[in-house]
Amino acid sequence: MRKTMIESLLRGPLTEPPPPVDDTALAELAASVNNAARARLGRSLSIRHVDAGSCNGCELELHALSNAFYDLERFGLRFVASPRHADVLTVTGPVTVNMREALLRTYEAMPDPKWVVAIGGCAADGGLFAGGAAVVGGVKDVLPVDLTIRGCPPSPRQLLAGLLALLKV
Amino acid sequence: MMPTQTNLKVDGWLEAVDRLAAGRLTLLSLWADAPDVKMALLDETSGAVSIVGYHCRNGQYPSVGVKHPPAIRLERAIRDLHKLEAIGASDTRPWIKHTPAPYAFLPADGEALHQIAVGPVHAGIIEPGHFRFTANGEFLVRLEARLGYVHRGIEASMAGAPLDKAAMFAARASGDSTVAYGIAFALAAETALGIAAPPRAVFLRALMAELERLANHFGDIGAICNDASFSLMHAQCGILRELTLRAANDCFGHRLMMDIAVPGGVARDIAADGAAALRVLLAEVRRVFPQLIELYDNTASLQDRTVTTGIVKPEYARQFGAGGFVVRASARGVDARRLPGYAPYGDLRFDVPVLTAGDVNARVWIRIREVEQSLTLVEQIIAALPQGDLRIDLPVRGGEGLALTEAFRGDVLVWLRVGEDGRVARCHLRDASWFQWPLLETAVEGNIVADFPLCNKSFNCSYAGHDL
Ligand code: SF4
């Protein structure tokens, strides 16, 4: 183990500079976030994630945000285990009929102020699944959405650019 | 592949059920093609796959699950989604549908027993499902999974869709296996239409499939160690996973290589500098991975968690006819690339690693060995990549096809019937997880509650691929 650790120390960090903050995300947030909320947002944020019907592709890329290349936590953004600790709710997938209630309950368990980020084409508007009998639709059909990060799935860089906008409004 | 098809009367159907129960045939899947129900059966000695059908009377058919438990959840799903009833079934609770609520979990009575309910929303960034544990102090007496939360109605949405759109649904059954599903759907469609993809496309598909396997195995090995609180392995494996996805992106313009394996061939060629990017990847993995294996093998605190934890008994692996690393760690040496087999794997050299311990450790080791095999496969494929067309046009005609491919977690089955208009009449997808979830329930028995995440991660069953 010592060998591996020393080697990674000598190699220097793999962590890459952040992507530029997504301008459209900034504009979208500016429209939805009021001044009082802004003061709180510009610091570190705790994120709770709910898969409301995803194919798991979006989750794979959310996981990648924690690897050595993207290192999400250096920006003060971290995923937490309980909605009670969260400021931000990220949601993937078209919201299925079977997940609607669990999603609502998770949202309700979060303290105010809170923000919702819809991640992926499915979460944006139902994507390929829009109109299907087993889905309710996009996240906006169930919860107020503050920010949408599109892509199928969005790449870690796209995710990072969108999430960083949360800290910049 | 188009297996033999037989329509059976009651006697024949019951005879098939008896053969399944006796272990002479393996159940590949059971699905509704209303008003019929169909089973795909594998004879493991000859490798022959057959489909048998039964024409339901008044929406009823004789239960398979009552004698052969692996069929129970499939029958419950058929009842929920197609309203066909398995007569004689012992478990008639809904499965994919979540009405009527509440759900009646199986009882476990005893003085010292208590229940723990977890999910559908879990602590990490994972898929939703509910686990109901019954524990005696720290020890698990029973686990019952409740799934269906991510049911998006994929099979229903595919019906009536043109083949290229249906392929997109198949590619989103389970995002981590999007290539394996894409290939399986394409093969089923090509069989149905009586065509074959060009050789270059066949090799490129296999290349993507092995990259997908590598990326997932790296992710899994790291995540399992992380659940045993060994984050160094997680960080190192995360780097290898990221490098693999970046190489995939360099080659095919998409990190998960979604929507590239399509009916008729592949939607795009490998980038001009793709092979070079892959050689760099292979060199880096070969430099780092052996050190990680050594680290895994020499860390006593990690071994203490993984060895003898969550044992899958070989007889259950066999009975459930399951696939993937879960059963290859329990003495069952199946791999769809070999049996029934599909191109181009017949032209490539690779081993199918098998172990017998059946614990978390063995499931890690199978993945380690499979990483090594996939590296040589990638090497062989880029060396032998044929020139030529990428895709052929699809004729408009009807037909049926069945395909099995080996995703990183096990076999994916696609059965497809195309109408005369060239659109999907009915498509059935069956993820390896259908037969692995029940094995997880057996494997955790007698383990401590705190080891459940470790057991679960070592299975890494799909929720989305199961719920569809
Ligand atoms: S947006 Fe794409 S990757 Fe994300 S859940 Fe939907 S289908 Fe899967």
Side-chain angles (χ1 to χ4, degrees):
Chain A
M1 169 153 69
R2 220 184 305 137
K3 208 169 84 197
T4 316
M5 286 180 119
I6 291 171
E7 204 176 90
S8 38
L9 282 175
L10 292 178
R11 186 164 54 179
L14 292 169
T15 313
E16 298 173 338
V21 175
D22 185 345
D23 287 337
T24 42
L26 259 185
E28 189 183 346
L29 274 173
S32 74
V33 178
N34 64 30
N35 285 335
R38 273 175 210 210
R40 300 186 195 231
L41 261 177
R43 297 183 309 216
S44 86
L45 291 174
S46 297
I47 306 173
R48 173 65 249 203
H49 177 69
V50 171
D51 169 347
S54 157
C55 77
N56 198 27
C58 282
E59 276 65 27
L60 294 177
E61 297 298 49
L62 279 167
H63 268 291
L65 288 178
S66 302
N67 74 29
F69 295 86
Y70 306 105
D71 189 17
L72 186 71
E73 293 211 8
R74 75 188 140 136
F75 303 108
L77 296 169
R78 58 190 196 106
F79 288 100
V80 292
S82 166
R84 304 258 186 235
H85 303 156
D87 310 296
V88 176
L89 181 67
T90 53
V91 189
T92 53
V95 181
T96 63
V97 170
N98 291 351
M99 269 305 286
R100 184 174 185 279
E101 187 183 333
L103 175 62
L104 278 171
R105 284 203 204 174
T106 306
Y107 179 74
E108 277 154 19
M110 289 168 64
D112 281 320
K114 52 190 170 190
W115 294 272
V116 176
V117 182
I119 288 179
C122 292
D125 55 15
L128 198 60
F129 303 98
V135 301
V136 185
V139 180
K140 64 177 185 311
D141 297 309
V142 180
L143 294 175
V145 171
D146 300 290
L147 175 65
T148 305
I149 304 175
R150 287 170 193 272
C152 182
S155 68
R157 271 181 78 81
Q158 287 171 296
L159 287 170
L160 207 48
L163 292 176
L164 288 179
L166 283 173
L167 297 171
K168 294 281 157 59
V169 276
Chain B
M1 157 175 60
M2 198 50 234
T4 57
Q5 284 216 53
T6 333
N7 289 320
L8 301 175
K9 302 257 186 277
V10 177
D11 290 350
W13 183 263
L14 291 175
E15 168 68 22
V17 173
D18 282 340
R19 285 192 203 181
L20 285 172
R24 282 154 60 205
L25 290 170
T26 301
L27 182 65
L28 291 176
S29 196
L30 166 67
W31 68 95
D33 183 19
D36 293 1
V37 283
K38 291 187 164 147
M39 283 195 280
L41 307 168
L42 171 69
D43 180 333
E44 291 191 13
T45 32
S46 69
V49 177
S50 56
I51 294 178
V52 295
Y54 177 83
H55 189 78
C56 293
R57 312 281 133 123
N58 305 320
Q60 297 178 329
Y61 63 99
S63 170
V64 182
V66 68
K67 285 196 175 160
H68 189 57
I72 292 175
R73 286 176 174 174
L74 289 161
E75 287 180 352
R76 292 166 64 189
I78 289 173
R79 184 172 184 259
D80 284 351
L81 301 173
H82 302 276
K83 305 200 165 48
L84 299 177
E85 196 89 32
I87 293 306
S90 51
D91 188 343
T92 54
R93 296 173 297 166
W95 180 240
I96 297 293
K97 262 194 167 168
H98 284 192
T99 46
Y103 185 72
F105 285 94
L106 297 173
D109 293 325
E111 212 182 325
L113 301 186
H114 65 282
Q115 287 201 348
I116 310 169
V118 181
V121 178
H122 299 283
I125 306 175
I126 62 165
E127 300 185 82
H130 182 93
F131 297 116
R132 186 60 62 99
F133 301 99
T134 306
N136 184 351
E138 257 195 304
F139 293 93
L140 289 172
V141 177
R142 165 175 272 166
L143 160 66
E144 193 183 353
R146 171 97 179 95
L147 301 174
Y149 290 93
V150 277
H151 174 61
R152 293 149 290 164
I154 286 192
E155 289 185 359
S157 300
M158 287 171 106
L163 288 174
D164 51 350
K165 181 153 188 216
M168 292 177 72
F169 279 106
R172 283 156 185 77
S174 181
D176 52 23
S177 306
T178 180
V179 172
Y181 272 93
I183 298 173
F185 183 81
L187 289 174
E190 286 154 10
T191 304
L193 301 179
I195 58 170
R200 186 172 178 84
V202 171
F203 272 73
L204 288 176
R205 286 175 181 176
L207 179 59
M208 293 190 288
E210 297 312 316
L211 289 172
E212 180 174 84
R213 196 178 325 279
L214 283 169
N216 282 306
H217 279 0
F218 290 139
D220 276 3
I221 294 167
I224 294 166
C225 294
N226 200 43
D227 273 355
S229 304
F230 196 66
S231 53
L232 181 61
M233 276 291 281
H234 182 53
Q236 295 289 340
C237 289
I239 294 169
L240 294 183
R241 176 179 165 85
E242 179 68 21
L243 292 176
T244 308
L245 296 184
R246 287 180 178 201
N249 192 48
D250 290 345
C251 291
F252 298 103
H254 191 288
R255 287 161 56 91
L256 304 182
M257 301 165 285
M258 213 172 229
D259 300 329
I260 297 170
V262 290
V266 286
R268 59 157 289 168
D269 203 355
I270 184 172
D273 51 2
L278 292 175
R279 287 199 185 92
V280 173
L281 173 74
L282 292 179
E284 179 62 7
V285 173
R286 289 217 159 103
R287 189 182 71 79
V288 177
F289 196 59
Q291 299 175 45
L292 298 182
I293 301 173
E294 204 188 314
L295 180 61
Y296 174 79
D297 209 25
N298 290 334
T299 305
S301 62
L302 191 53
Q303 297 281 310
D304 182 51
R305 295 290 305 280
T306 59
V307 175
T308 70
T309 305
I311 294 175
V312 174
K313 294 199 181 97
E315 55 269 34
Y316 288 147
R318 171 73 200 81
Q319 184 192 14
F320 274 76
F325 41 72
V326 168
V327 302
R328 289 195 284 273
S330 291
R332 184 167 153 76
V334 290
D335 186 319
R337 292 174 295 176
R338 278 274 163 74
L339 188 85
Y342 54 99
Y345 290 101
D347 297 332
L348 304 169
R349 292 179 316 278
F350 66 104
D351 292 332
V352 177
V354 182
L355 293 170
T356 53
D359 54 4
V360 172
N361 181 52
R363 291 189 281 278
V364 171
W365 273 106
I366 294 286
R367 287 170 167 101
I368 290 173
R369 293 288 168 243
E370 289 182 2
V371 163
E372 292 161 353
Q373 293 307 311
S374 289
L375 292 174
T376 83
L377 282 169
V378 168
E379 217 156 43
Q380 293 175 55
I381 293 167
I382 47 182
L385 189 60
Q387 294 300 325
D389 292 342
L390 295 169
R391 193 175 182 182
I392 53 168
D393 291 336
L394 304 182
V396 178
R397 59 167 168 260
E400 281 184 36
L402 178 111
L404 279 162
T405 58
E406 188 73 14
F408 83 101
R409 71 162 60 78
D411 53 327
V412 163
L413 176 144
V414 172
W415 174 84
L416 173 68
R417 185 155 54 79
V418 182
E420 291 304 324
D421 58 358
R423 289 169 177 261
V424 173
R426 169 89 176 98
C427 183
H428 167 67
L429 313 172
R430 196 272 298 142
D431 195 83
S433 306
W434 273 96
F435 301 128
Q436 293 169 343
W437 279 116
L439 296 180
L440 176 64
E441 295 181 2
T442 69
V444 300
E445 204 185 307
N447 285 253
I448 58 171
V449 179
D451 274 343
F452 173 72
L454 193 58
C455 296
N456 192 24
K457 198 73 82 190
S458 74
F459 272 66
N460 191 14
C461 293
S462 173
Y463 302 66
H466 169 282
D467 295 352
L468 293 178

